[in-house]
Amino acid sequence: MRAAVVTRFGEPEVFEVQELPDPRPGPGQVAIDVTHAAVGLVDVYIRQGLYKERAGLPQPPYVPGLEVAGTIRELGEGVTDFRVGESVVTLSGTGAVGGYASVEVADARVTVSLEGTGVDPALAVAALPNAATAYLALTEIAHLKPGERVLVHGALGGLASAFPGVARTLGASVVVGTSRRSSLAAARASALPYDEIIASEDLALATQRFDVVVDPVGGQLRTDSLQVMNRQGRMLLVGNASGDWQHSVPTNALWGGNLALLGFSIGFYLPNHLDKARPAAEAGLHAISQGLVDIRTETLPLADAAEAHRRLETGAVGRRILLTP
Ligand SMILES: NC(=O)c1ccc[n+]([C@@H]2O[C@H](COP(=O)([O-])OP(=O)(O)OC[C@H]3O[C@@H](n4cnc5c(N)ncnc54)[C@H](OP(=O)(O)O)[C@@H]3O)[C@@H](O)[C@H]2O)c1
């Protein structure tokens, strides 16, 4: 197989395209002929060596890449729910390696069929990780019930933008987004299924109340959110895009309102709940197939892995980059 290999930790120039032996699936695994591999910021951090001391993460030389789309090439022992040639997409879950290649081996539990969904493989691999994350956060952690009202901060953000569509499929009655005033016009022009987008700076003045708040932003917005939560409201803490690591929430506001703050990180959740991966992926695909989760993509050849990483490092991307072997 052809693979983009990280030959040592360092700058994007450490990438080398190499011919390597085709990997074979072990028990419970599938081998996939890759058509699209997603490129993520976490791949960049691992390549830079930021996580080199962390157990379970790869040491060079290694092939990066968490999620792929492609077709089943070979079934490992005990795998009966796919057939060779079937179009599939994977989530990460059991490692952070292998995707930037013409063949990848994945755990069958994090692999899901695209057949009959009508979803383009490139869109699937670009949108599915966040859609599945949104599904797990809303169902397993926030226990969203049909008819409840949802508020999503940083409405157009990569992670946030998966929430309105998934919340709709789960029966949310109202989904409101917030955006900073500087992003408000773009957010309001988006086709994402929000009922309304309000300025995050004005949140404390809002008269609406919400049962579930999705907060990937943090900072003062997190505290302001307490004022717009219904009793028994749940706030999902899923990120800190504000970069405000010093902010703390006044916890006495919680018991008076019967409020709950719930942290969720897909990277730490999924490896311990692999049985939840496929149902989450199928639910995410359902939302994507309904046109409720959208994301712009750009596809580069495998040989441009270094260029893909350079663009992510400089923040010069407004779309999800995919590599094609
Ligand atoms: N929990 C998980 O499993 C998980 C998974 C993926 C990502 N994350 C985390 O979620 C957060 C968002 O990630 P993402 O990939 O969605 O990022 P992103 O695409 O850059 O979106 C972040 C959004 O936050 C809003 N924002 C508000 N204040 C901001 C500030 N000072 N600087 C930058 N953005 C600001 C922006 O929306 P407006 O301009 O519209 O306000 C922006 O669209 C990160 O902290 C990331 O680590 C968590």
Side-chain angles (χ1 to χ4, degrees):
M1 69 170 183
R2 262 162 59 79
V5 179
V6 169
T7 53
R8 58 186 189 282
F9 291 127
E11 299 300 311
E13 290 67 34
V14 300
F15 270 110
E16 229 173 65
V17 175
Q18 296 180 0
E19 280 295 330
L20 298 175
D22 290 340
R24 303 282 311 277
Q29 295 181 323
V30 291
I32 296 169
D33 282 318
V34 176
T35 56
H36 302 85
V39 180
L41 212 43
V42 70
D43 303 343
V44 172
Y45 296 148
I46 296 171
R47 189 215 73 228
Q48 289 170 338
L50 286 187
Y51 300 148
K52 62 181 170 197
E53 316 291 352
R54 208 175 273 188
L57 290 181
Q59 296 292 323
Y62 70 93
V63 179
L66 279 75
E67 300 109 2
V68 301
T71 55
I72 296 282
R73 172 190 178 90
E74 187 179 354
L75 303 176
E77 190 189 320
V79 179
T80 54
D81 35 8
F82 294 102
R83 62 170 172 75
V84 170
E86 188 165 352
S87 174
V88 294
V89 62
T90 70
L91 292 176
S92 59
T94 49
V97 285
Y100 296 12
S102 55
V103 182
E104 200 217 10
V105 163
D107 190 311
R109 291 171 294 179
V110 298
T111 305
V112 62
S113 179
L114 280 176
E115 295 199 352
T117 65
V119 177
D120 173 66
L123 175 62
V125 73
L128 192 58
N130 284 333
T133 299
Y135 176 82
L136 288 169
L138 289 172
T139 55
E140 298 290 329
I141 312 299
H143 302 293
L144 177 69
K145 294 189 281 292
E148 288 195 316
R149 300 169 56 87
V150 177
L151 180 69
V152 182
H153 291 319
L156 289 197
L159 177 60
S161 61
F163 276 85
V166 174
R168 292 265 178 234
T169 62
L170 292 169
S173 58
V174 170
V175 187
V176 173
T178 75
S179 265
R180 289 171 295 181
R181 212 165 267 120
S182 53
S183 325
L184 207 50
R188 286 181 174 154
S190 104
L192 288 169
Y194 289 106
D195 291 292
E196 189 188 349
I197 302 205
I198 60 179
S200 45
E201 293 89 341
D202 296 339
L203 183 67
L205 308 173
T207 53
Q208 303 191 59
R209 295 290 175 267
F210 300 92
D211 304 294
V212 172
V213 177
V214 179
D215 181 18
V217 175
Q220 184 58 38
L221 191 56
R222 188 160 288 169
T223 292
D224 290 348
S225 302
L226 299 174
Q227 296 178 45
V228 297
M229 290 171 72
N230 277 327
R231 302 227 165 209
Q232 279 83 47
R234 291 88 71 204
M235 192 185 329
L236 279 166
L237 314 182
V238 290
N240 194 37
S242 65
D244 183 351
W245 296 98
Q246 302 309 319
H247 188 83
S248 58
V249 173
T251 49
N252 275 324
L254 303 182
W255 63 269
N258 293 321
L259 305 179
L261 303 189
L262 302 158
F264 181 71
S265 163
I266 191 69
F268 290 106
Y269 182 87
L270 214 47
N272 298 316
H273 298 85
L274 285 174
D275 57 316
K276 311 254 190 225
R278 197 179 295 161
E282 284 170 352
L285 273 178
H286 174 64
I288 296 166
S289 72
Q290 307 280 301
L292 296 170
V293 183
D294 206 2
I295 186 167
R296 289 181 303 156
T297 61
E298 180 177 3
T299 302
L300 300 177
L302 193 63
D304 284 349
E307 172 61 16
H309 276 217
R310 255 181 237 115
R311 290 194 202 174
L312 279 179
E313 281 177 343
T314 55
V317 271
R319 53 192 71 202
R320 190 92 200 260
I321 300 184
L322 307 173
L323 295 175
T324 184

